[in-house]
Amino acid sequence: SLQRGMVPVLPALVMDGQPAAAVGMLSEMLRNDSQFTAPVLDSLGSLQLNPEMLKQVSEMVTDSVASANVADLPIVIRFLLQHMTKDTAKDVVDALRSGLGVEALNPDGDTAEAGQPGGETLVLDAVQSALRLRRELTSLVLEQLEKVKHAADHRAVDWWLICALHTTSVAR
């Protein structure tokens, strides 16, 4: 559709220092139609946003983790981790911890088609890619996980995050 074709070129049309209207339009598209998740997040990531606007966009995307389509989760996770700051780390890690349960990654209980990676694999790959791109994420994520005081409060995704942190730090 025309909308789908316009989303990727929108950042090029936005004047420097004037992204508010584009952010508003892209945010509305993201809230109203999940088929636009990938191109909208790509466009939002391409805009030059001031810290306050980036925080607002990150909050909106963080709020969508629990309701995101399994196919869109890797894109959502990459966006959140690539744009995570010390100020947003708690909210992002909390959203990942609460929104990435086993049931969220495999909602129908089906296994992936033969030869195709499942939701868990795609999510773990998205986390590892983001960690490789931004080395400071390791300490931000680990700092948040260390705040979980009781073993019973840990979730499956915590272990996935720890494994991703370990594999990316070993690869360095």
Side-chain angles (χ1 to χ4, degrees):
S1 84
L2 182 60
Q3 278 183 322
R4 190 172 196 81
M6 291 297 294
V7 171
V9 298
L10 189 61
L13 302 174
V14 174
M15 305 276 277
D16 285 343
Q18 302 296 321
V23 168
M25 184 187 81
L26 291 168
S27 298
E28 190 66 28
M29 289 177 78
L30 189 61
R31 280 190 290 271
N32 292 333
D33 196 341
S34 65
Q35 75 171 333
F36 293 113
T37 299
V40 165
L41 291 180
D42 186 44
S43 289
L44 286 169
S46 299
L47 291 171
Q48 296 297 318
L49 303 177
N50 65 43
E52 183 58 35
M53 197 170 287
L54 181 58
K55 186 175 181 185
Q56 290 174 354
V57 169
S58 291
E59 287 172 357
M60 177 193 60
V61 178
T62 299
D63 291 343
S64 73
V65 170
S67 62
N69 182 324
V70 173
D72 293 332
L73 277 173
I75 298 158
V76 170
I77 290 166
R78 268 190 213 99
F79 180 88
L80 287 172
L81 292 176
Q82 287 172 355
H83 296 91
M84 187 168 76
T85 64
K86 187 172 178 90
D87 294 334
T88 62
K90 180 185 181 332
D91 293 335
V92 169
V93 173
D94 285 350
L96 295 177
R97 292 185 72 238
S98 64
L100 294 180
V102 174
E103 59 284 344
L105 297 172
N106 197 4
D108 300 326
D110 297 334
T111 57
E113 293 180 31
Q116 298 296 317
E120 300 96 337
T121 303
L122 295 173
V123 165
L124 189 55
D125 183 58
V127 171
Q128 287 177 315
S129 320
L131 292 171
R132 278 191 295 271
L133 289 173
R134 289 190 54 209
R135 293 183 177 194
E136 74 277 11
L137 289 180
T138 300
S139 62
L140 291 174
V141 172
L142 196 54
E143 194 175 296
Q144 295 305 312
L145 292 176
E146 286 174 343
K147 291 180 181 178
V148 178
K149 297 295 181 199
H150 304 289
D153 294 336
H154 279 287
R155 298 181 177 161
V157 72
D158 296 348
W159 304 114
W160 293 356
L161 290 170
I162 290 168
C163 288
L165 291 169
H166 178 70
T167 58
T168 54
S169 66
V170 167
R172 291 185 191 148

